[in-house]
Amino acid sequence: MRTWLRQHREALARALGRLGAQRMATLLNALVIGVALSLPAGGYLLLSGLQGVAQRVSYEPQVSVFLKAGAAQADLEARMRRDPRVAGLRFVSRDEALAELRVTEELADVVAQLERNPLPDAFVVRSADAAPAALEALAEALRALPGVARVQVDSAWAQRLAALVRTGRLALGALAVLLATGLVAVTFNTIRLQILTQREEIEVSRLLGASDGFVRRPLLYLGFLQGLAGGALGLAILAGALAVLNVGVRELAQTYGSSFSLPFLPWDDALSVVGFSGFLGWLGSAMSVSRHLR
Amino acid sequence: MISFSAVSKRYPGGLEALRGVSFTIEAGELVFVTGPSGAGKSTLLKLIPAIERPTAGSVVVNGQNVGALKRGAIPYLRRNLGLVFQDHKLLYDRSVFDNVMLPLSFGTLAPRDAARRTRAALDKVGLLERERANPIQLSGGEQQRLAIARAVVNRPAVLVADEPTANLDEDSAWRIVDILLSFHQVGVTLVVATHDQALVARHGRRVLQLAAGRLAGA
């Protein structure tokens, strides 16, 4: 066990030594990997931000219930309050609604032309469940109540945004698979070149009794370390890009009275990115070693 | 210790380097393998550490049928043999010390013991003071001595040397031979391929003479 650990320690040291001896090549390889990783990771951040916005909005799901003329308001309110899916409701009388329109700058003139109030009485119902399906089910139940003329679910745009985020996730997944394949290919080629560079050393070592494991181990560590370095560099690129992007995002958010900005990856996700990058580096290296060290 | 039984070796392309060669080398023997260029000396030596595999017949080294060894077992066979190659096969991107230390890094020896044994091997061939030099700075004879130090650092029971005196001046050649003989004198089985007839005449106790891949005399 001690020998096994020593051999791994020595292989790791040899791999680090080779990375250190070829600093520029190491940096450039890590940069290629870092850029490739930062694209899907950045996309993931943007989508997470969008999803956060969509979720925050849809946590306040509203259903507008417009009443028929002469509908029994108190009876309807009591019925709706009994429904456990209703988290709260507010009655908006036709006069209140018209008054709100009157103070709306763009509509004030139109409203002034009206001879009578065309608006119905309405309830604004807050749903306990934000899920689109739950909202639709609630709307359906409200439509069936006597005295209800029309029900409007105010979550259509949130649904569209959620669909957009889902599509974005799929596209991002495809991009991530493509770039991960590219990363494996980059490492595969780097290790191939490394094998060519060390051809003599590998040949002599084998002639003198080096096992396959002894020859392969430093190359596998090399791929793994290169992947880790690329992952770390990718996170650094992402952090830099995010800092620049957030200047604009904050300005935009302020115009909506929000202090929203895109957050960096949680530490466990960041670790996963680096670890996954290391794994891809190892994978490319293992494939290259199997192919070129027969 | 080493036994060849009706061994033939045909390379891809049809060249038949060895044809039905049979002999046995006992532990502690000194054997010269001679013959003109192309007689099959190097091929015969390469069969012992399984650098090449026989096309027919069997090669048994230390009780192991080398031709039937699995790939994973070959490194262990080679670690128990000392190999001196015709072209030295030194690594010029590392020091004399690191070249000799290389075979010990595959095994289980602790680094401190490996360093001690490396220096002992270098001392034995008279290169201890050059341990930090690069092999490129050494003369041909010194490079061959370095190759011998690397071959014996694992304390092998069998030392196989392919043309160890080739391309060396007479003094360097005799020094190499003396070093090899010193290992033989402490019990190491020594198999040396050479076309140097003077060397064979002076030290040749047993000679395997090859001609066109066949054993002409043993």
Side-chain angles (χ1 to χ4, degrees):
Chain A
M1 184 65 180
R2 193 181 290 175
T3 302
W4 184 83
L5 283 174
R6 178 172 59 79
Q7 287 182 340
H8 272 271
R9 203 172 54 235
E10 286 172 1
L12 180 60
R14 278 203 298 279
L16 283 169
R18 277 170 200 157
L19 286 175
Q22 304 161 355
R23 283 192 197 92
M24 186 49 83
T26 301
L27 184 67
L28 289 175
N29 279 329
L31 196 61
V32 169
I33 294 169
V35 169
L37 270 178
S38 65
L39 289 175
Y44 172 76
L45 270 187
L46 282 175
L47 282 182
S48 296
L50 267 180
Q51 197 175 31
V53 170
Q55 278 174 351
R56 267 200 293 279
V57 170
S58 56
Y59 279 143
E60 299 290 332
Q62 292 184 344
V63 179
S64 299
V65 180
F66 301 102
L67 308 188
K68 290 176 183 167
Q73 175 211 332
D75 179 49
L76 258 175
E77 182 172 346
R79 279 173 175 246
M80 285 191 281
R81 285 197 189 280
R82 279 200 296 272
D83 192 326
R85 292 171 294 182
V86 173
L89 55 81
R90 180 169 61 92
F91 178 71
V92 181
S93 71
R94 54 202 301 265
D95 296 334
E96 273 179 72
L98 190 66
E100 276 182 28
L101 285 181
R102 276 202 188 101
V103 296
T104 307
E105 202 174 326
E106 297 86 0
L107 296 173
D109 289 343
V110 179
V111 173
Q113 304 292 319
L114 295 173
E115 290 176 2
R116 61 180 184 84
N117 183 355
L119 301 174
D121 289 330
F123 282 101
V124 177
V125 176
R126 196 154 45 84
S127 170
D129 191 343
L135 277 173
E136 279 304 332
L138 177 61
E140 205 55 47
L142 294 175
R143 268 186 207 109
L145 292 175
V148 172
R150 203 163 72 88
V151 174
Q152 183 180 315
V153 179
D154 300 333
S155 64
W157 76 271
Q159 286 182 38
R160 281 190 209 109
L161 184 59
L164 196 68
V165 169
R166 278 197 298 276
T167 310
R169 275 190 184 282
L170 283 175
L172 196 63
L175 179 70
V177 169
L178 266 178
L179 290 174
T181 309
L183 197 156
V184 170
V186 165
T187 314
F188 180 92
N189 200 44
T190 305
I191 298 300
R192 182 183 70 83
L193 292 174
Q194 192 65 43
I195 290 170
L196 283 177
T197 308
Q198 291 175 239
R199 192 176 44 201
E200 202 174 9
E201 179 188 342
I202 291 169
E203 183 202 344
V204 171
S205 297
R206 282 183 157 171
L207 285 173
L208 298 176
S211 62
D212 284 346
F214 182 89
V215 173
R216 289 171 183 217
R217 226 172 276 134
L219 295 165
L220 295 176
Y221 271 115
L222 198 67
F224 177 66
L225 289 173
Q226 191 175 278
L228 283 186
L233 204 57
L235 288 184
I237 291 169
L238 197 59
L242 205 61
V244 173
L245 193 64
N246 265 336
V247 173
V249 169
R250 276 192 210 99
E251 281 176 8
L252 180 67
Q254 273 169 9
T255 63
Y256 288 94
S258 164
S259 59
F260 176 78
S261 65
L262 289 166
F264 191 64
L265 289 172
W267 68 269
D268 49 344
D269 281 357
L271 273 182
S272 300
V273 168
V274 176
F276 185 61
S277 177
F279 166 75
L280 291 177
W282 172 86
L283 183 65
S285 178
M287 288 166 67
S288 189
V289 160
S290 298
R291 174 81 178 77
H292 299 110
L293 277 182
R294 284 177 179 166
Chain B
M1 175 142 275
I2 298 173
S3 172
F4 276 53
S5 179
V7 173
S8 295
K9 172 66 187 177
R10 182 193 290 269
Y11 286 104
L15 174 68
E16 196 154 16
L18 291 177
R19 302 168 195 214
V21 172
S22 298
F23 63 86
T24 299
I25 299 173
E26 299 298 338
E29 261 196 286
L30 164 60
V31 176
F32 285 97
V33 182
T34 66
S37 294
K41 304 188 293 294
S42 292
T43 299
L44 188 147
L45 261 55
K46 282 177 183 171
L47 288 168
I48 297 173
I51 295 170
E52 295 291 347
R53 304 276 191 137
T55 317
S58 69
V59 177
V60 178
V61 178
N62 291 331
Q64 292 178 295
N65 185 346
V66 171
L69 276 185
K70 286 186 178 166
R71 181 189 166 101
I74 291 173
Y76 301 98
L77 167 79
R78 291 183 185 165
R79 285 178 210 172
N80 290 314
L81 299 170
L83 303 175
V84 180
F85 302 96
Q86 194 169 353
D87 55 354
H88 311 322
K89 296 213 181 290
L90 299 174
L91 297 174
Y92 296 99
D93 62 346
R94 59 191 69 188
S95 68
V96 163
F97 181 88
D98 287 341
N99 265 275
V100 178
M101 182 97 152
L102 182 64
L104 297 177
S105 60
F106 316 143
T108 57
L109 212 58
R112 190 180 296 175
D113 296 332
R116 195 178 303 134
R117 207 186 269 191
T118 299
R119 292 205 169 87
L122 282 170
D123 191 30
K124 190 82 179 165
V125 300
L127 285 175
L128 187 54
E129 288 175 5
R130 309 294 306 275
E131 68 171 352
R132 293 187 181 194
N134 187 290
I136 204 86
Q137 298 170 286
L138 305 182
S139 68
E142 286 174 324
Q143 289 192 17
Q144 190 61 287
R145 282 192 273 145
L146 173 56
I148 293 171
R150 189 184 60 186
V152 299
V153 74
N154 256 332
R155 297 180 182 165
V158 180
L159 192 53
V160 179
D162 190 5
E163 299 281 9
T165 59
N167 305 318
L168 296 181
D169 60 70
E170 197 173 332
D171 285 348
S172 298
W174 288 123
R175 186 158 185 195
I176 293 296
V177 171
D178 285 344
I179 290 170
L180 289 175
L181 289 176
S182 72
F183 289 109
H184 168 62
Q185 280 157 9
V186 294
V188 174
T189 305
L190 191 54
V191 185
V192 181
T194 182
H195 61 267
D196 185 343
Q197 291 303 320
L199 175 67
V200 175
R202 185 165 163 182
H203 299 286
R205 295 169 203 178
R206 183 176 173 204
V207 179
L208 299 175
Q209 187 153 9
L210 286 170
R214 291 186 191 281
L215 207 53

